Amino acid sequence: MWEPKVSVTRWLAAPLLAVAVAGSPTLDAEANPRADAVPMRASLFLNDDLEGDCEPPNGDAVPAALSVSGSGPTVRLRVLYALDGITIPEARRIVDRAARIYAPMHVELTATYAPFRLPSDGVAADGQPTVGVVAALRAVQARYERPPAGHHVVHLLTAKDLVDDRAPQRDGKDTVAGIATCVGGARYDGQQFSVGEAKFRFFEPGAPDDFHAIVVAHEIGHLLGAQHHYGNCHEGRTRIPGFTGSCTTMSPFGLANSEVFGTLERRVIRAYAEDVASRGASS
């Protein structure tokens, strides 16, 4: 979707959804005339497998390498869910399912909720307000700058239709569903943010809660160090009757993904969660 130096998108004709990571701390304004001070990020699009890691600003210390164990006592991460256009009961149905995806790793996502107003940039054909996916991420970053005291991560749940900022598709079938700052963002101050749709409409008549929960788990998984290629399509379980894919949560094929992290995903996410929790929440 973005300039080639940031991301290379390969569009497929099949209805497969993928969370694409397009991360870079700085962009060359001459090479990319749309670049500004806000870095391009990781987003959920139709099959883009080029992934970008978080990089510290010049002069910042790089976090130490992690010891990957995959097991241990329960680790608690506190997530602030900013709610745009959905109620707390609606959010809880999604968030509780996302938390269950993390439970086998003994990683507990504890939730708090806050209202958030995300400006719309248009209207889809069926009347649902739209907003650019990068614009949504910028808005939540501008509001919080860093997670509020006592929190490790901020995730925006929006009822708006997230669309490609540069070429918005407003027919109600846009395949953008979520975005994260970059891979490993939970370890970097100011990078602990992600966004996801709460009323995705690629499905008919609409996406079930398990899909929305997978988007939440996937985007937070990016913040906890998980790359697309850590996912696979043999450790998951089929979630769509008759669908041939049984992919894990971090797989780049969103519609084929299930509420299961694979072996490599679990180990990396668990290691990041231990490290982030040991540093303590924002104060």
Side-chain angles (χ1 to χ4, degrees), residues 19 30 67-68 100 119 124 128 134 138 161 165 187-188 264:
V19 181
E30 182 176 350
S67 174
V68 178
R100 290 197 291 272
Q128 185 180 19
V134 174
R138 289 172 173 168
D161 185 10
D165 295 75
R187 300 179 81 196
Y188 293 87
L264 182 54

Side-chain angles (χ1 to χ4, degrees), residues 11 14 16 29 36 82 95 132 136 157 167 187 226-227 236 252 264:
W11 299 98
L16 299 179
D36 54 27
V95 167
L157 275 171
R187 300 179 81 196
Q227 305 264 13
L264 182 54

Side-chain angles (χ1 to χ4, degrees), residues 1-9 18-27 32 38-45 48-55 133-134 137-138 165-166 178-183 191 218-219 222 226-228:
M1 171 181 176
W2 310 116
E3 296 294 332
K5 67 180 291 187
V6 180
S7 174
V8 177
T9 303
V19 181
V21 181
S24 175
T26 59
L27 293 173
N32 179 1
V38 180
M40 293 300 176
R41 306 299 186 184
S43 53
L44 188 55
F45 296 110
D48 178 349
D49 58 8
L50 182 62
E51 302 167 6
D53 297 319
C54 284
E55 297 181 21
V133 66
V134 174
L137 180 64
R138 289 172 173 168
D165 295 75
R166 300 198 306 182
I179 193 166
T181 50
C182 49
V183 175
Q191 305 293 332
H218 183 120
E219 298 300 343
H222 276 314
Q227 305 264 13
H228 289 153

Side-chain angles (χ1 to χ4, degrees), residues 2-275:
W2 310 116
E3 296 294 332
K5 67 180 291 187
V6 180
S7 174
V8 177
T9 303
R10 286 183 222 146
W11 299 98
L12 299 181
L16 299 179
L17 195 69
V19 181
V21 181
S24 175
T26 59
L27 293 173
D28 185 338
E30 182 176 350
N32 179 1
R34 296 184 58 87
D36 54 27
V38 180
M40 293 300 176
R41 306 299 186 184
S43 53
L44 188 55
F45 296 110
L46 197 67
N47 199 34
D48 178 349
D49 58 8
L50 182 62
E51 302 167 6
D53 297 319
C54 284
E55 297 181 21
N58 291 336
D60 279 12
V62 177
L66 299 176
S67 174
V68 178
S69 63
S71 63
T74 297
V75 174
R76 291 179 176 84
L77 297 180
R78 195 164 184 84
V79 182
L80 174 65
Y81 290 95
L83 307 183
D84 172 54
I86 64 169
T87 66
I88 290 178
E90 288 175 321
R92 280 179 175 154
R93 288 198 297 270
I94 297 170
V95 167
D96 288 350
R97 290 189 73 130
R100 290 197 291 272
I101 301 174
Y102 280 79
M105 298 179 287
H106 302 287
V107 174
E108 181 180 314
L109 300 183
T110 61
T112 57
Y113 302 92
F116 190 90
R117 185 179 179 277
L118 185 62
S120 174
D121 65 6
V123 179
D126 61 358
Q128 185 180 19
T130 63
V131 64
V133 66
V134 174
L137 180 64
R138 289 172 173 168
V140 73
Q141 286 182 297
R143 166 76 175 271
Y144 291 105
E145 295 186 359
R146 60 185 305 195
H151 296 82
H152 300 92
V153 170
V154 176
H155 182 86
L156 172 63
L157 275 171
T158 180
K160 292 183 175 65
D161 185 10
L162 296 174
V163 297
D164 181 329
D165 295 75
R166 300 198 306 182
Q169 180 182 345
R170 295 192 171 93
D171 60 359
K173 297 295 184 181
D174 193 290
T175 54
V176 180
I179 193 166
T181 50
C182 49
V183 175
R187 300 179 81 196
Y188 293 87
D189 197 26
Q191 305 293 332
Q192 310 100 316
F193 298 94
S194 56
V195 175
E197 282 190 35
K199 295 185 178 180
F200 190 69
R201 296 166 305 147
F202 195 90
F203 296 86
E204 296 292 349
D209 284 340
D210 67 331
F211 178 78
H212 297 124
I214 289 167
V215 173
V216 171
H218 183 120
E219 298 300 343
I220 293 177
H222 276 314
L223 297 180
L224 293 173
Q227 305 264 13
H228 289 153
H229 58 267
Y230 297 170
N232 63 73
C233 292
H234 63 270
E235 288 186 276
R237 58 173 177 261
T238 300
R239 54 175 294 278
I240 302 175
F243 205 85
T244 57
S246 285
C247 302
T248 56
T249 300
M250 294 309 301
S251 166
F253 304 106
L255 295 185
N257 289 9
S258 61
E259 296 171 284
V260 176
F261 283 119
T263 301
L264 182 54
E265 295 155 82
R266 289 196 301 269
R267 287 181 174 273
V268 172
I269 289 172
R270 169 75 195 191
Y272 270 75
E274 288 177 357
D275 180 71

